[in-house]
Amino acid sequence: MASSIATDTPPPAPGPSTTRRTASTGRAGDKIFLGLSRGSGILLLVVMAAIAAFLSVRAGIAISQDQGNFLTTFDWNPAGSPPAFGIAVLLFGTVVSSVIAMAIAVPVAVGIALFISHYAPRKLAAPLAYVVDLLAAVPSIVYGVWGALFLVPYLGGLNEWLDTYLGWTFVFEKTEVGVARSMFTVGILLAIMILPIVTSVSREVFLQVPRMNEEAALALGATRWEVIRLSVLPFGRSGVISASMLGLGRALGETMAVATVLSPSYVLSLHVLDPGGGTFAQNIAAKFDESNQLGRDALIASGLVLFVLTLLVNGAARMIIARRKEYSGAAA
């Protein structure tokens, strides 16, 4: 009887150990993938370190021959006697144009992303999202030509309006007569350029909001705007910050569009409507071919400052996102 029972008992189902053995057949592939991933990360660090070392060495050669203060000098004349080159105007123009672009683009991009993800019907949301993604693929020089032929001629009226009604702020006071080839025009153009990037990333983040959170808020009587304000925006805050930093990175390093629109000068003006100004990338593109060896080293030194500025901005964004995640985890 006992032997028949033992014989008729079905074999046990495969347990966890059996499953692990079956899955372990790809262990060699896992090791290869791990090695490739780790090697890619190390290669990226090596490339970044090589770029930083090259910029530092060439910048050191230029700064050692500068008779003035590299950080505070307004002139840019490496071929002069004595040579003089400073980044005060370039640093100011780069930061100001990027701040203007972010102030205009981020609120508009978040609004478009919310409209596509939560307000627009599907028949409208899909084509609109496609158009936004298509705008992100437009080359910079196309934006620059459009800005020079359209924005510059038609922004004169806006500049006059800002000077009339907001001139008391000192920033929007126009003290020089000229076409609208100013830092304000550059900021508007950069805002249009980074708008698709911020919109696309923000839209994808908003679409990842748990559906149950929104349905629970609606079941409690919340309006659609209250659902967005209490559920969607808090969930997507870190994603919006990341999208904004991506847009800021493009705004800081944009070259051809700025060079096409801006009238370069090395006069530091706090009035954003006045013609002139300059940015790091625009100055490098405009001066590189006509510079001597010292001039090119000076341009590389300005590129090093832009490199450090970009790293600081990205590092600050990572710190903000990490702190918000810690705060969200503690609150949960």
Side-chain angles (χ1 to χ4, degrees):
M1 179 68 68
S3 61
S4 62
I5 293 176
T7 304
D8 297 338
T9 301
S17 59
T18 307
T19 306
R20 292 194 190 96
R21 292 193 198 97
T22 304
S24 65
T25 55
R27 189 172 297 172
D30 293 340
K31 290 182 178 179
I32 295 174
F33 180 77
L34 177 61
L36 291 175
S37 302
R38 184 176 298 169
S40 300
I42 296 174
L43 178 62
L44 178 62
L45 294 177
V46 171
V47 170
M48 293 289 292
I51 294 174
F54 170 78
L55 294 177
S56 300
V57 171
R58 297 292 294 270
I61 296 174
I63 295 175
S64 64
Q65 302 184 43
D66 186 14
Q67 301 298 321
N69 192 324
F70 180 66
L71 297 177
T72 59
T73 303
F74 294 168
D75 297 332
W76 189 275
N77 188 20
S81 181
F85 45 87
I87 62 166
V89 176
L90 304 178
L91 178 61
F92 177 80
T94 301
V95 173
V96 168
S97 60
S98 300
V99 169
I100 295 174
M102 295 294 292
I104 297 174
V106 172
V108 177
V110 172
I112 296 174
L114 289 174
F115 177 76
I116 295 175
S117 60
H118 287 81
Y119 283 96
R122 291 185 178 180
K123 292 183 178 180
L124 177 61
L128 189 57
Y130 175 76
V131 171
V132 171
D133 294 337
L134 190 63
L135 288 174
V138 176
S140 301
I141 188 62
V142 175
Y143 280 110
V145 173
W146 175 80
L149 298 179
F150 182 82
L151 276 183
V152 172
Y154 289 99
L155 278 182
L158 177 61
N159 289 355
E160 295 296 334
W161 185 90
L162 291 173
D163 182 31
T164 302
Y165 294 99
L166 296 178
W168 56 272
T169 62
F170 182 78
V171 175
F172 292 103
E173 181 183 4
K174 188 174 182 180
T175 61
E176 298 182 15
V177 179
V179 294
R181 294 182 177 272
S182 60
M183 299 309 303
F184 183 68
T185 304
V186 172
I188 294 178
L189 181 61
L190 292 177
I192 297 173
M193 295 180 65
I194 68 177
L195 184 66
I197 300 175
V198 183
T199 301
S200 298
V201 178
S202 300
R203 183 190 72 234
E204 295 300 325
V205 172
F206 292 151
L207 290 175
Q208 301 301 320
V209 178
R211 187 65 181 174
M212 294 186 63
N213 292 2
E214 300 182 27
E215 293 177 351
L218 291 173
L220 293 175
T223 62
R224 182 173 294 184
W225 165 242
E226 289 174 338
V227 172
I228 291 175
R229 182 169 59 88
L230 299 176
S231 298
V232 178
L233 292 179
F235 179 87
R237 185 179 292 116
S238 60
V240 172
I241 294 175
S242 301
S244 302
M245 291 305 104
L246 286 175
L248 179 59
R250 180 172 186 181
L252 289 172
E254 185 53 49
T255 304
M256 295 310 300
V258 178
T260 306
V261 170
L262 188 63
S263 296
S265 69
Y266 299 101
V267 177
L268 182 61
S269 175
L270 300 179
H271 307 285
V272 298
L273 299 182
D274 289 341
T279 65
F280 286 121
Q282 170 266 329
N283 187 62
I284 292 173
K287 299 293 184 181
F288 193 83
D289 283 341
E290 62 187 40
S291 298
N292 54 20
Q293 185 61 42
L294 177 60
R296 293 183 180 181
D297 289 341
L299 293 174
I300 292 174
S302 66
L304 175 62
V305 177
L306 179 60
F307 181 77
V308 173
L309 179 62
T310 305
L311 290 182
L312 292 177
V313 169
N314 290 333
R318 295 293 301 176
M319 291 178 60
I320 293 173
I321 294 173
R323 291 187 62 180
R324 289 194 177 277
K325 287 183 177 180
E326 292 177 2
Y327 176 79
S328 301

